[in-house]
Amino acid sequence: MSGIVQGVGFRPFVFTLAERLRLVGFVGNDGAGVFVEVEGPAPTCDAFLKAVQQDAPPLAVVESVRHRTIPTTGEAGFRIVESGAAGTQITAVSPDVATCDACLREFNDPADRRYRYPFINCTNCGPRFTIIKDLPYDRPLTTMAAFAMCAACDAEYHDPRSRRFHAQPNACPACGPRMSFARTPAPEETQIGEAALQAALGVLSAGGILAVKGIGGFHLACCATSAAAVATLRERKGRRDKPFAVMAADLSAVRQFSTVSVAEEALLGSSQRPIVLLERAQNPTTEIVRDVAPGQTTLGVMLPYTPLHTLLLAAGPLVMTSGNRSEEPIARDNDEAWTRLRALADAFLTHDRDIHVVCDDSVVRVIDDREQPIRRSRGYAPFPVLLPTPTPMVLGVGAELKATACVSRDHYAILSQHIGDLGNLETLQAMEHACNHLLRLFRVTPDRVACDLHPGYESTRWAERWAGAHSVPVVRVQHHHAHLAALMAEHGEVGDRPILAFTFDGTGYGTDGTIWGGEVLLGDYRSFKRVAHLRETPLPGGDAGVRHPARVALAQLRAAGVEWTEALPCVSAIPPDHRRVLHVQLERRLNCVDTSSMGRFLDAASSLVGVRHEVTYEGQAAIEFESMARGAVSAATYAFALTNEADGSLVFDGGSVLREVAADVQRGTAHSQIARGVHEAIAALVERVAHDVSQRHGPLAIGLTGGVFQNALLLSLTRRRLERGGYRVLSHHRIPPNDGGIALGQVMVASHTPVV
Ligand code: ZN
Ligand code: ZN
Ligand code: FE
């Protein structure tokens, strides 16, 4: 049997099943997965074969089962055999898993020896990836090595009938990790266990900020219904507008402030326990502070995924944001957290189980009843992507923002947890750590390393250094080509026919040295053709210019021949003297780069209708623009002008839309209607270009990728149009459409690139 069948309770499952069916034989792990020999009447053996696949343990993913009939050997009973090769299988490392129902029942049972024990776990749940230092997955190679099991735990660990048979993090109050509490700035006065919890709850209900050690790192927590607490957290973290996530005790608590669909409910309660973006309820019975997610109609919500969280939520819904200062990676060990977070938190609720790998919470959104990952991290990493064909061993280092790394071997690509934006030394070190960990854990010795085409990216430079040190070639992959390849890989495309990928994002280095981002690529893993793109406009201030949508708007209006009149919100947002400077800058093209970015087009549109003129986090203007469009009852009609270039490619002009938008703004058309119209125009554009290109190249699958397609309204409108038109549409359901998926695409392209 192969697939995810090790470290997930497969052997005890087989053992129990065989005993129940009164079969004799044995089960064990080997390098390929799990092997079983059973002896008994033929119909019972058939029933066994069926049940092994149908009733597999919750965390197992059975990819294939091969079986054959052999002569009987006269086994006396059923046993679990040891195997030297156990645990070296690539899929042996499970992501971290939220507390299971069986453990929760014990946790809530006053008669159980683990009653209210914050570290209760079993073979079906608990920390995994974040505590594993190396393979085989055995307690000595995890951060649980420091805890010697008591007699009771040890007995469970060795009993195949126990839910804790070979559960590596197995622990109880007598032998396992403990919580402790300390107030800043006086770490001497610590409290342990239940007293620690009560002290922590006291801090939260008094409106304080609590640093909480979880599975993948530290969170900063505060009461989500206290405006003062949320304001303090924003101020101390240096984070003005970027939304915080909220953790609530259970689904009924979530329904008090958010709407929850069936698909959203399933995700909230899944063993991955991601943050799910939910619409705020119209008439909430619990008022989550507006400032938790300013300017948005959605709220990021998650349910507790460790028993410690369950205890903490007695304080009501909590803001739970990663324990870091803005732009730094999430804090990992106790000393580091103390140093970095003591200025931010009033107190610490921590514990003595070490975190080996830092892992932020994952974020997903449900669009048209299907999951779209926005950040794929805790609970998902390092779950492999199953590839359609075998791949060489490759390391991909991603781009610059939302960085992840990826390694590949055999039929698998393994994406790392979310690392963050590679703007500083800490994140670069985190990325190096993640790469080395993946390479070691999955025994990957790359024969090439893949990176972005952008020469200025930290990740590119790191890849060059790494390649030099290991004497392997570097494969530079164009950013949007990587998006396309990641989408194809997610959908198991073999690569024998190209797809037409609408790759809309903020920034990516183009093959012509300009900044791309509104690209229509016809391509496969090997190569691509840029068959259409958004007309370039100047971006004043280059990369720094992205923080100022109003300036972007003015530049694009000028390019579209629209006069800068005070009647336009984006114009009045900029003081006249600044406008004069900007005019000169654009006139003489000083410190301006050309960009075909769809992200910048949306920024410009957003500022033009007065939604947002300055941003404090990536994508803010577009996100708030989407929120506005969702409130529309009807849509204005706009269209992108299309022109044929001499080289046969198509260019679509954002200026034609902005001219009409500017006129509507001056006419006093409802802003939500305008915003909706811009979304509709992009969807219509995609359909027109898809039609045009398919006419010339024959039927093509249409891909929708890039950070812009995190916009649920846009994705939904576009997909509906395309599907009505009979196209096969590929969008993201397992890999983020944003740069969090780039490393996978790089690996795919590099693995199809001949290297010497
Ligand atoms: Zn459990
Ligand atoms: Zn114990
Ligand atoms: Fe991108």
Side-chain angles (χ1 to χ4, degrees):
M1 246 162 297
S2 65
I4 304 208
V5 290
Q6 294 184 4
V8 292
F10 214 92
R11 289 172 305 160
F13 154 70
V14 170
F15 178 91
T16 320
L17 179 66
E19 278 208 330
R20 182 159 55 80
L21 297 173
R22 295 175 200 287
L23 293 167
V24 296
F26 53 85
V27 58
N29 286 337
D30 65 13
V34 169
F35 61 87
V36 190
E37 232 182 89
V38 287
E39 209 174 302
T44 322
C45 287
D46 287 343
F48 173 85
L49 197 59
K50 222 167 119 188
V52 137
Q53 295 168 75
Q54 275 177 3
D55 310 333
L59 300 182
V61 180
V62 181
E63 276 164 16
S64 69
V65 180
R66 284 178 302 141
H67 66 95
R68 64 194 166 95
T69 311
I70 50 170
T72 56
T73 52
E75 293 279 333
F78 198 87
R79 63 207 160 92
I80 293 175
V81 293
E82 294 300 327
S83 156
T88 54
Q89 195 210 18
I90 191 160
T91 54
V93 185
S94 157
D96 302 302
V97 186
T99 319
C100 73
D101 291 342
C103 282
L104 276 178
R105 274 193 295 278
E106 294 167 350
F107 179 81
N108 289 316
D109 175 5
D112 194 275
R113 68 191 186 93
R114 293 189 181 85
Y115 177 55
R116 285 173 70 79
Y117 180 54
F119 306 94
I120 187 171
N121 68 80
C122 73
T123 323
N124 300 326
C125 74
R128 293 287 187 282
F129 180 53
T130 52
I131 61 165
I132 298 177
K133 293 178 176 173
D134 204 349
L135 289 183
Y137 173 51
D138 260 330
R139 193 160 169 124
L141 291 177
T142 71
T143 61
M144 283 302 290
F147 301 92
M149 276 184 282
C150 68
C153 287
D154 194 67
E156 292 167 335
Y157 184 89
H158 288 103
D159 175 9
R161 288 169 193 87
S162 163
R163 209 171 79 248
R164 297 194 168 86
F165 177 72
H166 282 218
Q168 307 305 344
N170 189 25
C172 78
C175 66
R178 294 188 306 178
M179 316 184 256
S180 59
F181 172 88
R183 222 172 269 278
T184 51
E188 314 78 51
E189 293 165 41
T190 48
Q191 274 130 311
I192 302 293
E194 191 66 31
L197 175 70
Q198 293 311 322
L201 290 173
V203 169
L204 290 170
S205 48
I209 311 292
L210 183 72
V212 184
K213 187 176 183 179
I215 277 200
F218 277 77
H219 280 113
L220 290 169
C222 76
C223 174
T225 53
S226 159
V230 173
T232 307
L233 181 57
R234 284 219 177 270
E235 192 194 306
R236 291 196 198 159
K237 239 193 122 162
R239 180 151 142 173
R240 230 173 67 193
D241 306 309
K242 199 172 176 186
F244 290 138
V246 172
M247 186 182 272
D250 50 33
L251 275 171
S252 68
V254 175
R255 288 211 172 84
Q256 290 177 6
F257 54 83
S258 291
T259 63
V260 187
S261 72
V262 175
E264 287 163 345
E265 183 179 320
L267 275 166
L268 281 169
S270 70
S271 65
Q272 289 89 350
R273 289 293 151 94
I275 296 170
V276 184
L277 294 191
L278 303 174
E279 284 295 318
R280 279 187 185 250
Q282 296 288 346
N283 301 302
T285 49
T286 297
E287 204 72 59
I288 300 294
V289 175
R290 205 75 233 170
D291 207 28
V292 166
Q296 302 196 18
T297 56
T298 56
L299 204 54
V301 182
M302 62 181 150
L303 295 179
Y305 52 87
T306 76
L308 191 148
H309 293 149
T310 306
L311 295 171
L312 212 52
L313 285 164
L318 298 175
V319 164
M320 290 284 262
T321 183
S322 37
N324 56 359
R325 275 190 296 254
S326 283
E327 320 301 329
E328 275 182 6
I330 185 165
R332 177 164 72 127
D333 64 46
N334 290 359
D335 292 342
E336 181 192 352
W338 185 263
T339 314
R340 280 167 44 188
L341 303 180
R342 80 184 143 192
L344 280 63
D346 299 303
F348 279 67
L349 182 66
T350 174
H351 59 73
D352 51 357
R353 184 180 66 206
D354 284 342
I355 295 168
H356 184 66
V357 174
V358 175
C359 216
D360 287 83
D361 294 319
S362 295
V363 184
V364 303
R365 188 169 189 181
V366 172
I367 306 176
D368 296 332
D369 289 327
R370 289 196 69 184
E371 169 179 8
Q372 186 200 67
I374 292 172
R375 184 202 288 160
R376 185 184 180 276
S377 201
R378 188 219 6 107
Y380 295 85
F383 193 84
V385 177
L386 188 62
L387 302 176
T389 51
T391 159
M393 292 195 192
V394 186
L395 167 66
V397 299
E400 184 94 329
L401 300 179
K402 302 181 168 68
T404 57
C406 184
V407 298
S408 66
R409 58 171 278 191
D410 310 326
H411 273 82
Y412 300 103
I414 297 116
L415 265 174
S416 76
Q417 72 278 26
H418 167 84
I419 295 158
D421 299 347
L422 299 181
N424 55 53
L425 190 63
E426 283 83 7
T427 36
L428 195 62
Q429 281 168 345
M431 139 99 171
E432 182 155 21
H433 188 269
C435 285
N436 289 333
H437 192 52
L438 283 187
L439 292 173
R440 188 172 54 245
L441 216 48
F442 297 103
R443 307 289 193 265
V444 173
T445 323
D447 65 9
R448 68 201 76 177
V449 49
C451 65
D452 200 274
L453 200 60
H454 199 308
Y457 280 176
E458 290 290 349
S459 56
T460 304
R461 283 187 237 145
W462 188 86
E464 277 160 359
R465 286 197 296 276
W466 197 92
H470 293 81
S471 305
V472 296
V474 178
V475 180
R476 291 174 182 80
V477 181
Q478 199 282 324
H479 188 91
H480 303 95
H481 188 201
H483 273 303
L484 175 153
L487 183 63
M488 282 178 63
E490 171 181 334
H491 287 272
E493 292 282 311
V494 182
D496 53 351
R497 55 198 169 155
I499 70 163
L500 184 68
F502 290 79
T503 312
F504 293 167
D505 66 358
T507 301
Y509 196 77
T511 51
D512 58 2
T514 67
I515 303 298
W516 291 6
E519 311 310 311
V520 188
L521 307 183
L522 178 63
D524 53 26
Y525 298 123
R526 270 164 244 277
S527 62
F528 71 94
K529 232 181 108 192
R530 189 190 194 200
V531 292
H533 65 88
L534 186 67
R535 184 178 303 289
E536 293 87 355
T537 50
L539 174 63
D543 282 346
V546 305
R547 286 197 297 269
H548 311 286
R551 295 166 60 87
V552 176
L554 262 57
Q556 298 206 3
L557 286 179
R558 186 177 176 275
V562 177
E563 202 194 324
W564 292 356
T565 143
E566 293 267 353
L568 298 171
C570 56
V571 177
S572 54
I574 300 181
D577 47 333
H578 288 208
R579 257 182 265 154
R580 274 189 293 277
V581 176
L582 181 62
H583 183 84
V584 174
Q585 187 181 2
L586 291 166
E587 189 80 28
R588 301 196 193 146
R589 304 191 52 78
L590 297 166
N591 189 20
C592 284
V593 293
D594 274 336
T595 181
S596 57
S597 164
M598 188 58 89
R600 294 298 83 74
F601 169 78
L602 283 165
D603 285 354
S606 172
S607 175
L608 183 50
V609 297
V611 173
R612 175 128 314 259
H613 306 300
E614 302 279 318
V615 299
T616 64
Y617 65 91
E618 200 228 346
Q620 184 179 8
I623 289 167
E624 294 179 6
F625 192 56
E626 180 197 345
S627 278
M628 171 170 277
R630 286 179 161 273
V633 281
S634 67
T637 38
Y638 308 119
F640 285 84
L642 275 180
T643 44
N644 280 293
E645 297 293 286
D647 63 1
S649 69
L650 284 167
V651 172
F652 36 98
D653 185 11
S656 57
V657 172
L658 294 180
R659 271 193 296 276
E660 298 170 58
V661 170
D664 272 350
V665 169
Q666 282 170 285
R667 234 175 261 138
T669 309
H671 288 177
S672 60
Q673 198 179 333
I674 298 176
R676 177 88 187 199
V678 173
H679 284 75
E680 300 265 10
I682 298 173
L685 165 78
V686 170
E687 193 191 7
R688 266 170 73 205
V689 174
H691 178 77
D692 193 287
V693 178
S694 313
Q695 292 276 303
R696 281 184 267 172
H697 294 270
L700 292 161
I702 309 297
L704 303 175
T705 183
V708 165
F709 284 108
Q710 289 171 108
N711 183 321
L713 176 64
L714 180 64
L715 179 62
S716 196
L717 290 171
T718 310
R719 196 206 328 258
R720 248 176 269 158
R721 270 180 176 272
L722 289 170
E723 283 174 351
R724 246 186 280 128
Y727 296 95
R728 184 164 79 97
V729 181
L730 307 179
S731 59
H732 289 279
H733 305 294
R734 289 187 295 153
I735 303 296
N738 58 46
D739 287 3
I742 283 286
L744 171 64
Q746 290 173 342
V747 161
M748 294 309 294
V749 172
S751 72
H752 287 80
T753 304
V755 294
V756 274

